[in-house]
Short mmCIF file of all heavy atoms in Angstrom, two decimals:
data_model
loop_
_atom_site.label_atom_id
_atom_site.label_comp_id
_atom_site.label_asym_id
_atom_site.label_seq_id
_atom_site.Cartn_x
_atom_site.Cartn_y
_atom_site.Cartn_z
N SER P 462 93.88 191.60 224.78
CA SER P 462 92.91 190.60 224.30
C SER P 462 92.97 190.53 222.80
O SER P 462 93.37 191.48 222.13
CB SER P 462 91.49 190.98 224.75
OG SER P 462 90.51 190.20 224.10
N ALA P 463 92.54 189.40 222.26
CA ALA P 463 92.28 189.35 220.83
C ALA P 463 91.24 190.42 220.51
O ALA P 463 90.36 190.70 221.32
CB ALA P 463 91.76 187.97 220.45
N PRO P 464 91.32 191.04 219.33
CA PRO P 464 90.41 192.14 219.00
C PRO P 464 89.02 191.64 218.62
O PRO P 464 88.60 191.72 217.46
CB PRO P 464 91.12 192.83 217.83
CG PRO P 464 91.90 191.75 217.17
CD PRO P 464 92.35 190.82 218.27
N VAL P 465 88.31 191.14 219.61
CA VAL P 465 86.94 190.64 219.43
C VAL P 465 86.01 191.65 220.08
O VAL P 465 85.95 191.74 221.31
CB VAL P 465 86.77 189.25 220.06
CG1 VAL P 465 85.34 188.75 219.85
CG2 VAL P 465 87.78 188.27 219.48
N PRO P 466 85.25 192.44 219.31
CA PRO P 466 84.51 193.56 219.89
C PRO P 466 83.56 193.20 221.03
O PRO P 466 83.48 193.91 222.03
CB PRO P 466 83.73 194.12 218.69
CG PRO P 466 84.58 193.77 217.51
CD PRO P 466 85.15 192.42 217.84
N GLY P 467 82.85 192.08 220.91
CA GLY P 467 81.87 191.71 221.93
C GLY P 467 82.47 191.48 223.30
O GLY P 467 81.76 191.56 224.32
N ARG P 468 83.75 191.20 223.35
CA ARG P 468 84.39 190.96 224.64
C ARG P 468 84.37 192.21 225.53
O ARG P 468 84.36 192.09 226.75
CB ARG P 468 85.84 190.50 224.43
CG ARG P 468 85.96 189.11 223.82
CD ARG P 468 87.41 188.67 223.69
NE ARG P 468 87.51 187.25 223.34
CZ ARG P 468 88.64 186.55 223.36
NH1 ARG P 468 89.77 187.16 223.71
NH2 ARG P 468 88.64 185.28 223.04
N ALA P 469 84.39 193.38 224.91
CA ALA P 469 84.41 194.61 225.69
C ALA P 469 83.13 194.77 226.50
O ALA P 469 83.16 194.96 227.73
CB ALA P 469 84.62 195.81 224.77
N LEU P 470 81.98 194.69 225.83
CA LEU P 470 80.71 194.88 226.53
C LEU P 470 80.50 193.80 227.58
O LEU P 470 79.95 194.06 228.65
CB LEU P 470 79.55 194.89 225.53
CG LEU P 470 79.52 196.04 224.52
CD1 LEU P 470 78.23 196.00 223.72
CD2 LEU P 470 79.68 197.38 225.21
N PHE P 481 89.25 197.18 229.46
CA PHE P 481 89.29 196.23 228.35
C PHE P 481 90.13 196.85 227.26
O PHE P 481 89.87 197.98 226.82
CB PHE P 481 87.91 195.88 227.81
CG PHE P 481 87.99 194.95 226.63
CD1 PHE P 481 88.18 193.59 226.83
CD2 PHE P 481 87.94 195.43 225.33
CE1 PHE P 481 88.29 192.72 225.75
CE2 PHE P 481 88.04 194.57 224.24
CZ PHE P 481 88.23 193.22 224.46
N PRO P 483 91.98 195.64 223.57
CA PRO P 483 92.48 194.74 222.53
C PRO P 483 93.95 195.06 222.22
O PRO P 483 94.36 196.23 222.28
CB PRO P 483 91.60 195.06 221.32
CG PRO P 483 90.40 195.77 221.88
CD PRO P 483 90.90 196.50 223.07
N GLU P 494 83.13 197.39 213.09
CA GLU P 494 82.53 196.79 214.29
C GLU P 494 83.31 197.18 215.53
O GLU P 494 82.72 197.51 216.57
CB GLU P 494 82.45 195.27 214.16
CG GLU P 494 81.70 194.63 215.32
CD GLU P 494 81.71 193.12 215.29
OE1 GLU P 494 82.22 192.53 214.30
OE2 GLU P 494 81.23 192.51 216.27
N MET P 495 84.64 197.15 215.46
CA MET P 495 85.44 197.53 216.62
C MET P 495 85.28 199.02 216.92
O MET P 495 85.10 199.41 218.09
CB MET P 495 86.92 197.20 216.38
CG MET P 495 87.83 197.56 217.57
SD MET P 495 87.43 196.66 219.09
CE MET P 495 88.18 195.07 218.70
N THR P 498 81.91 199.53 218.47
CA THR P 498 81.79 198.99 219.83
C THR P 498 82.48 199.88 220.85
O THR P 498 81.93 200.16 221.92
CB THR P 498 82.38 197.57 219.88
OG1 THR P 498 81.69 196.72 218.97
CG2 THR P 498 82.26 196.99 221.29
N LEU P 522 77.20 187.03 225.73
CA LEU P 522 78.20 186.86 224.66
C LEU P 522 78.12 185.43 224.17
O LEU P 522 78.31 184.49 224.94
CB LEU P 522 79.60 187.16 225.19
CG LEU P 522 80.78 186.89 224.25
CD1 LEU P 522 80.76 187.84 223.06
CD2 LEU P 522 82.11 187.03 225.02
N PRO P 548 78.56 187.44 214.97
CA PRO P 548 78.72 187.71 216.40
C PRO P 548 77.38 188.01 217.06
O PRO P 548 76.45 188.52 216.43
CB PRO P 548 79.64 188.92 216.43
CG PRO P 548 79.39 189.62 215.13
CD PRO P 548 79.12 188.52 214.14
N TYR P 550 76.24 189.57 220.93
CA TYR P 550 76.69 190.03 222.23
C TYR P 550 75.92 191.27 222.64
O TYR P 550 75.30 191.95 221.79
CB TYR P 550 78.19 190.33 222.24
CG TYR P 550 78.64 191.33 221.18
CD1 TYR P 550 78.66 192.70 221.44
CD2 TYR P 550 79.06 190.89 219.93
CE1 TYR P 550 79.09 193.61 220.48
CE2 TYR P 550 79.48 191.79 218.96
CZ TYR P 550 79.49 193.14 219.24
OH TYR P 550 79.90 194.05 218.28
#
Side-chain angles (χ1 to χ4, degrees):
S462 168
V465 180
R468 291 183 170 191
L470 295 187
F481 177 80
E494 186 185 354
M495 181 62 78
T498 300
L522 174 67
Y550 56 89

